[in-house]
Amino acid sequence: MIDLHLHLDGSLSPSLVEELAKAQNVPLPAEGQALEPFLSVPAHCSSLNDYLRCFQLPVAVLQTGEALTMSVKDLCRRLEAQGLLYAEIRFAPSQHTQRGLDQMQAVEAAIAGLPKKRGDGWSFSAQLILCCMRGGEEKANRETVEVAARFLGKGVCALDLAGAEALYPTDLYEELFRYARSLGVPFTLHAGEALGPESVWKALELGAVRIGHGVRSQEDPNLIGYLREHSVPLELCPTSNLQTKAVADLAHFPLRDYLRQGLCVTVNTDNMTVSRTTLAEEFRLLQAAGMREEERRAALIHSAEAAFLPREEKAALKAALVAGFQK
Ligand SMILES: [Zn+2]
């Protein structure tokens, strides 16, 4: 399995949050198992606010280089244990500068937590996607772009735009992503989650090569045609999309429709801890809603094709996936 859309701060284990908080004297609202309600949405998440509240504590404990290295390392270990072959882990370095780190130091620390280069054959590996923030300061976002350019291919594989899509629409970031293009940094943008197809169109116009979510693309048949024609991958995250009400219910989740229409759709977790999920759980959910085995395999192959990897590494990843299908 491959996860292309996974936020670091939304995927920390409660025990690690507790350990990091104690080491840094960050006050905790509770301890042990009792910490979970502060990190994960309630069983019936009622709003985006419920969802966003769960990021406050993780961000508060990820303000040192050591904490960032440990959290990336811990997440990678858990992903490998879950049977993943590859992941693209994203975070916003500008959110981790409250206690003296600069963005470059934050990214260097996160890179230090990634698994070392794999040898022959494919075992788990991961890269980072750096998020610019909707509503963030222009200067900080430009710095994120520059840091991504500096570490591109050395642990960082792309940029993203995260945060409140409805409050800060994508067209406010035209200049920022023109700058990213001028530095040769590819990007995926969160779009078509809180807002509809117009946001996805804008992301494409800015030069996004993948779309974070894009789950609402079905509202515009012309957009579906464009996504198919240009093989633009969509990073769907079923549980998260249901929790934030981007999709009303599982019966209306468009993954199978998109596959039938020839789109490059991938399945991802978004935030394992906030959404109380894993990639295996996302596939279980989709299978319970009627997804067939060949559709599951098609989505997995799409993930290998959509990864921000050099061509030969994509091919090796795809071969490892196919070998797994035959087991
Ligand atoms: Zn996301």
Side-chain angles (χ1 to χ4, degrees):
M1 292 185 292
I2 296 167
D3 199 332
L4 299 178
H5 191 131
L6 171 66
H7 293 261
L8 174 67
D9 49 358
S11 304
L12 302 188
S13 70
S15 59
L16 182 68
V17 170
E18 190 171 354
E19 186 184 338
L20 294 175
K22 285 184 173 160
Q24 295 168 73
N25 292 320
V26 174
L28 280 171
E31 291 196 5
Q33 290 300 315
L35 208 49
E36 274 186 30
F38 297 91
L39 300 172
S40 305
V41 291
H44 296 286
C45 177
S46 60
S47 68
L48 190 60
N49 280 349
D50 266 357
Y51 201 84
L52 295 178
R53 188 180 48 81
C54 300
F55 293 92
Q56 288 169 3
L57 186 56
V59 169
V61 301
L62 292 179
Q63 297 297 332
T64 67
E66 202 185 357
L68 281 161
T69 304
M70 272 172 77
S71 63
V72 171
K73 204 177 268 181
D74 185 67
L75 177 56
C76 286
R77 250 191 237 123
R78 283 155 53 223
L79 294 170
E80 186 173 18
Q82 289 169 16
L84 269 76
L85 293 172
Y86 176 70
E88 290 175 358
I89 299 167
R90 57 187 80 193
F91 81 114
S94 63
Q95 304 284 89
H96 302 271
T97 57
Q98 295 164 13
R99 287 202 186 184
L101 284 184
D102 62 27
Q103 291 198 40
M104 199 174 81
Q105 290 166 328
V107 173
E108 272 176 322
I111 290 174
L114 292 172
K116 298 289 160 262
K117 256 304 193 223
R118 49 189 191 85
D120 293 337
W122 195 283
S123 59
F124 178 76
S125 78
Q127 299 191 90
L128 300 174
I129 294 177
L130 305 188
C131 305
C132 295
M133 291 304 293
R134 295 182 192 269
E137 278 177 32
E138 193 187 331
K139 188 168 163 281
N141 279 335
R142 282 181 74 86
E143 194 181 331
T144 305
V145 171
E146 286 157 8
V147 173
R150 185 182 172 128
F151 291 104
L152 192 66
K154 303 178 187 105
V156 172
C157 61
L159 279 162
D160 175 28
L161 178 62
E165 183 185 8
L167 290 178
Y168 303 97
T170 307
D171 50 11
L172 296 174
Y173 302 93
E174 214 167 310
E175 182 54 44
L176 182 69
F177 286 96
R178 189 173 306 138
Y179 186 42
R181 283 207 313 272
S182 77
L183 297 181
V185 187
F187 47 90
T188 172
L189 303 180
H190 277 76
E193 181 188 18
L195 294 181
E198 69 286 358
S199 182
V200 179
W201 278 119
K202 194 70 213 181
L204 294 168
E205 192 187 315
L206 262 53
V209 293
R210 272 181 8 204
I211 300 295
H213 301 293
V215 66
R216 291 181 56 190
S217 302
Q218 59 184 352
E219 294 166 29
D220 179 354
N222 289 333
L223 176 58
I224 295 291
Y226 183 95
L227 294 170
R228 177 177 49 235
E229 207 172 305
H230 295 84
S231 305
V232 181
L234 300 182
E235 306 157 3
L236 299 182
C237 308
T239 300
S240 164
N241 293 160
L242 294 170
Q243 288 168 339
T244 61
K245 313 291 181 216
V247 178
D249 53 55
L250 199 54
H252 291 93
F253 197 76
L255 182 127
R256 297 186 70 203
D257 279 347
Y258 287 175
L259 278 173
R260 271 195 290 269
Q261 292 175 87
L263 301 200
C264 179
V265 284
T266 66
V267 177
N268 310 278
T269 54
D270 208 4
N271 295 286
M272 288 202 300
T273 308
V274 174
S275 290
R276 301 176 194 266
T277 193
T278 60
L279 195 51
E281 189 52 42
E282 295 298 302
F283 278 109
R284 259 196 297 279
L285 192 72
L286 292 167
Q287 282 168 313
M291 181 196 227
R292 297 196 309 271
E293 177 58 18
E294 61 266 32
E295 292 171 324
R296 188 184 78 92
R297 291 182 182 189
L300 285 168
I301 294 291
H302 285 158
S303 291
E305 285 163 352
F308 286 117
L309 283 170
R311 193 187 306 246
E312 63 282 8
E313 293 199 34
K314 278 189 204 197
L317 181 55
K318 212 160 133 179
L321 271 179
V322 172
F325 295 159
Q326 282 149 6
K327 270 184 197 159

